């Protein structure tokens, strides 16, 4: 064993340098003894150390360390109170100052991880980063004051000056950017990327804010997603909202909306459970296929055929118009950037929502879903034109039924016309038939008019094989037939039964040939 003792000055710096073997190296007064492969530089550095593989540079660094090993302390009082903690790195004045049994921590910067006692696997880089952490584990903080007040929060990542500064017990948060998630205290599982993203969040959880000022004012809202500068910037307590695009999401009036979505720059939902795509200047929204609505009979209940059809469609007023986008933006409180303004007048055809709503109510069509009425004072009317297909189909069905009825009526009337034409057509009789017809007689009924019954006098020759009295309406529609069985002079009684008041025709037909026709009148 060879060694060299060097003294400079009086006793200010004195050291024993080991040239060979496992003797520890000490620089400065009060250095500890014991252990192997230790290096201590500074007054009272590693004073109590009996463990091995430690390095301390600076007065009072690793001052109370006893059995902790493989630690690196650089800076005045860095890892000062460490006793059994191992595998720690403290670089900077008072870094990891209060660490006692915590392991695997890295602190680089003035007062970084200053209060950590038994927290493990933490990384703090920067002035006052993770300053208040005591038992929190698996945290990473990079930037001045990042995670400053964190005490027991775990698995947080803060990158940027003052990011997650106020966090105390919140865990599993990621904040990247100046003042990102600045005021978060107990909120958890949030992701904020961008300057001031989720800055005011305190209790909210499961939020994602990407972009400068994204979800900036969120306090207790949760499960929100904002991608784009100032996206969902006004949200405070809203839940489950999504905004993608610059300044997308509800305006100031929608701070507490639920499950609304704004897709595109300046896409502004105006109520909960609402989706808005694009701003007022957008002229086309589409894709390769038509929109598909859920329409599965397994999930439909209380099905009724109560849709108003033709009456509703006939009452609508189709119009053409120009849309005043500037007025809409003023109503929404949106100031578009010059690049986003579309001054082209949008000429459209359609209906006025208020008129459609009034028509539906007037007809008792309370279930018509084509009108999207305002949900609050900041919302506006809209129409779902696809919903008009249902009453249109009903209208076509009603028109088809009417058409079928008209066809049947036309056919019936044509048959009556054919019968009348046949009745009035010239009759060609052979010599054998003529004597029989000339003998057959039909007289006027009595009484006439009548209300209950009347009698018709007639003469039917003996040689006639069949004689019939036919009763028709005035327009020739047959009502009934009454066979005459007697011959020669006889009487036939006609009762009104279901005959309503009016004029009727009665005809004598012998052996399929018409003799004559007369009128009778039924009164009430």
């Amino acid at each position: 064993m060879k060694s060299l003792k060097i003294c400079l000055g009086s006793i200010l710096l004195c050291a024993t340098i080991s040239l060979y073997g496992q003797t520890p190296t000490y620089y400065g007064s009060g250095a500890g003894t014991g252990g192997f492969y230790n290096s201590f530089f500074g007054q009272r550095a590693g004073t109590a150390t009996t463990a091995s593989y430690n390095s301390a540079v600076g007065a009072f660094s690793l001052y109370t360390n006893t059995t902790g090993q493989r630690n690196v302390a650089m800076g005045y009082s860095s890892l000062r109170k460490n006793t059994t903690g191992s595998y720690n790195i403290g670089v900077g004045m008072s870094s990891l100052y209060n660490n006692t049994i915590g392991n695997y921590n890295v602190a680089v910067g003035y007062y970084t991880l200053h209060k950590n006692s038994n927290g493990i696997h933490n990384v703090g880089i920067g002035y006052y980063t993770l300053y208040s952490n005591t038992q929190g584990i698996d945290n990473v903080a990079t930037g001045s004051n990042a995670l400053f007040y964190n005490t027991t929060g775990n698995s947080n990542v803060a990158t940027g000056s003052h990011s997650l500064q106020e966090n105390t017990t919140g865990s599993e948060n990621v904040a990247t950017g100046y003042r990102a998630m600045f005021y978060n205290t107990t909120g958890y599982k949030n992701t904020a990327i961008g300057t001031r993203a989720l800055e005011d969040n305190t209790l909210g959880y499961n939020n994602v804010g990407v972009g400068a000022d994204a979800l900036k004012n969120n306090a207790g809202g949760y499960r929100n997603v904002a991608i784009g500068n100032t996206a969902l910037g006004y949200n405070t307590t809203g839940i489950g909202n999504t905004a993608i695009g610059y300044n997308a999401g509800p305006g100031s009036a929608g701070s507490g909306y639920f499950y609304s979505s704004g897709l595109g720059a300046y896409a502004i939902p105006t109520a909960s459970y609402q989706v808005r795509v694009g701003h007022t200047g957008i002229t086309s929204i589409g894709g390769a296929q038509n929109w598909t609505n859920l329409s599965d009979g397994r999930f439909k209940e209380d099905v009724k055929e109560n849709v108003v059809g033709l009456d509703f469609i006939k009452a609508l007023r189709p119009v053409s118009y120009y849309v005043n986008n500037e007025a809409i933006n003023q109503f929404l409180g949106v100031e578009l950037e010059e690049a986003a303004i579309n001054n082209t007048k949008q000429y459209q055809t359609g209906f006025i929502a208020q008129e459609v709503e009034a028509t539906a109510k007037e007809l008792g069509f309370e279930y018509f879903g084509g009108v999207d009425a305002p949900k609050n004072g900041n919302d506006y009317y809209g129409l779902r034109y696809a919903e008009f297909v249902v009453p249109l189909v009903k209208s076509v069905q009603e028109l088809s039924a009417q058409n079928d009825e008209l066809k049947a009526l036309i056919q019936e009337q044509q048959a009556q016309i054919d019968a009348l034409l046949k009745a009035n057509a010239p009759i060609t009789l052979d010599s054998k038939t003529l004597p029989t017809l000339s003998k057959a007689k039909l007289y006027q009924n009595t009484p006439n008019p009548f209300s209950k019954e009347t009698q018709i006098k007639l003469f039917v020759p003996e040689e006639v094989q069949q004689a019939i009295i036919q009763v028709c309406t005035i327009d020739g529609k047959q009502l009934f037939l009454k066979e005459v069985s007697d011959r020669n002079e006889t009487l036939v009684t006609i009762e009104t039964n279901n005959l309503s008041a009016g004029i009727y025709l009665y005809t004598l037909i012998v052996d399929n040939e018409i003799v004559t026709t007369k009128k009778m009148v039924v009164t009430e």
Side-chain angles (χ1 to χ4, degrees):
M1 175 81 62
K2 294 181 180 181
S3 62
L4 174 65
K5 185 174 182 180
I6 300 175
C7 293
L8 299 178
S10 56
I11 58 170
L12 294 179
L13 178 60
C14 210
T16 300
I17 303 176
S18 176
L19 300 180
Y20 304 102
Q22 298 177 347
T23 303
T25 302
Y26 304 113
Y27 291 88
S29 61
T33 60
F36 303 100
Y37 302 110
N38 295 299
S39 297
F40 304 120
F41 299 81
Q43 185 178 14
R44 296 188 179 276
T47 297
T49 300
T50 60
S52 303
Y53 304 102
N54 295 290
S55 296
V57 179
F60 296 100
S61 56
L62 276 171
Y63 175 65
T64 59
N65 189 72
T66 55
T67 60
Q69 59 182 339
R70 290 179 170 81
N71 296 292
V72 175
M74 299 181 66
Y76 173 77
S77 293
S78 57
L79 277 161
R80 175 166 180 160
K81 294 186 178 181
N82 192 78
T83 56
T84 62
S86 300
Y87 302 95
N88 297 291
I89 298 175
V91 179
M93 179 178 174
S94 294
S95 57
L96 281 166
Y97 180 93
N98 289 287
N99 191 81
T100 55
I101 60 175
N103 302 319
Y104 305 102
N105 297 291
V106 176
V108 179
Y110 180 78
Y111 275 79
T112 304
L113 276 161
H114 179 76
K115 293 185 179 182
N116 191 78
S117 57
N118 56 348
I120 62 174
H121 295 285
N122 297 291
V123 176
I125 301 175
Y127 177 84
Y128 275 112
T129 55
L130 278 163
Y131 172 83
S132 302
N133 192 80
T134 55
Q135 301 177 42
I137 63 175
D138 295 315
N139 297 291
V140 176
T142 304
S144 173
N145 293 93
L147 277 166
F148 180 90
Y149 288 105
N150 191 79
T151 54
T152 59
N154 303 320
S155 303
N156 296 291
V157 176
T159 304
S161 177
H162 301 284
S163 55
L164 275 165
Q165 177 172 311
E166 303 291 318
N167 192 79
T168 55
T169 61
S171 297
E172 299 182 53
N173 297 292
V174 175
T176 302
Y178 171 71
R179 292 180 68 93
M181 291 191 69
F182 180 88
Y183 289 106
N184 191 79
T185 54
T186 59
Y188 57 91
K189 293 185 178 180
N190 297 290
T191 300
I193 301 175
T195 300
R196 290 180 297 274
L198 276 160
E199 181 181 28
D200 292 336
N201 191 78
T202 54
L203 311 175
Y205 58 91
N206 286 329
N207 295 292
V208 175
V210 179
D213 297 307
L215 274 165
K216 179 183 182 300
N217 292 300
N218 190 78
Y222 53 91
R223 296 173 187 159
N224 300 290
V225 176
I227 301 176
N229 288 4
T230 68
L232 279 172
Y234 289 104
N235 192 80
T236 56
T237 58
I239 300 171
N241 299 292
T242 301
I244 300 176
Y246 176 75
N247 206 31
S252 58
S255 58
Y257 286 169
F258 294 166
Y259 301 100
S260 67
S261 297
L263 307 179
Y266 297 104
I268 310 296
T270 50
S272 295
Y273 304 100
Q274 185 183 85
V275 176
R276 288 283 185 254
V277 180
H279 59 78
T280 55
I282 299 300
T283 58
S284 178
I285 299 172
Q289 295 295 331
N290 291 328
W291 188 268
T292 299
N293 287 336
L294 187 152
S295 184
D296 193 319
R298 293 174 297 175
F299 313 117
K300 296 183 178 182
E301 301 177 352
D302 195 22
V303 178
K304 298 177 181 179
E305 295 187 24
N306 58 352
V307 176
V308 180
L310 190 58
D311 290 341
F312 176 68
I313 296 300
K314 287 168 58 179
L316 296 178
R317 185 173 72 104
V319 295
S320 63
Y321 50 86
Y322 287 101
V323 178
N324 189 336
N325 289 333
E326 184 178 351
I328 295 176
N329 290 327
Q330 288 178 354
F331 178 80
L332 296 175
V334 176
E335 294 184 8
L336 297 179
E337 292 180 349
E338 188 65 29
I341 297 174
N342 185 351
N343 291 320
T344 303
K345 283 189 174 182
Q346 296 184 29
Y347 181 79
Q348 298 180 0
T349 58
F351 307 109
I352 307 300
Q354 289 90 333
E355 294 180 2
V356 176
E357 181 182 51
T359 298
K361 288 181 178 180
E362 183 178 348
L363 296 174
F365 195 4
E366 57 182 309
Y367 298 109
F368 180 58
V371 178
D372 189 3
K375 310 303 184 298
N376 52 60
N378 302 296
D379 199 9
Y380 50 80
Y381 271 95
L383 288 176
R384 304 183 183 102
Y385 283 99
E387 297 288 335
F388 287 79
V389 171
V390 179
L392 280 171
V393 170
K394 184 68 173 180
S395 299
V396 172
Q397 292 174 341
E398 292 175 354
L399 288 172
S400 179
Q402 293 177 10
N403 187 51
D404 291 342
E405 291 179 3
L406 290 173
K407 283 182 178 179
L409 179 60
I410 290 172
Q411 290 175 355
E412 184 178 351
Q413 290 179 340
Q414 185 62 49
Q416 295 171 1
I417 291 172
D418 292 343
L420 289 174
L421 290 174
K422 183 178 180 181
N424 295 320
I427 301 175
T428 303
L429 301 175
D430 57 23
S431 57
K432 185 176 181 180
T433 304
L434 186 58
T436 301
L437 290 177
S438 63
K439 292 179 183 178
K441 302 291 183 184
L442 179 66
Y443 301 95
Q444 187 67 49
N445 64 302
T446 57
N448 190 39
F450 66 96
S451 59
K452 292 184 178 181
E453 65 178 31
T454 186
Q455 290 184 328
I456 300 174
K457 183 180 178 181
L458 64 158
F459 177 85
V460 181
E462 289 285 349
E463 61 268 30
V464 170
Q465 295 181 7
Q466 185 184 48
I468 296 174
I469 294 294
Q470 179 190 54
V471 178
C472 300
T473 61
I474 192 64
D475 58 1
K477 182 179 180 181
Q478 178 179 294
L479 297 178
F480 61 87
L481 300 173
K482 193 161 189 175
E483 187 172 358
V484 181
S485 57
D486 295 335
R487 298 294 181 262
N488 299 318
E489 286 190 356
T490 185
L491 293 174
V492 174
T493 301
I494 302 295
E495 298 177 345
T496 56
N497 292 331
N498 295 327
L499 295 177
S500 57
I503 300 174
Y504 298 86
L505 302 177
Y506 63 95
T507 302
L508 174 60
I509 303 173
V510 295
D511 293 336
N512 295 323
E513 299 293 339
I514 296 175
V515 176
T516 188
T517 299
K518 294 185 180 296
K519 294 179 181 180
M520 61 182 179
V521 179
V522 177
T523 60
E524 295 182 347

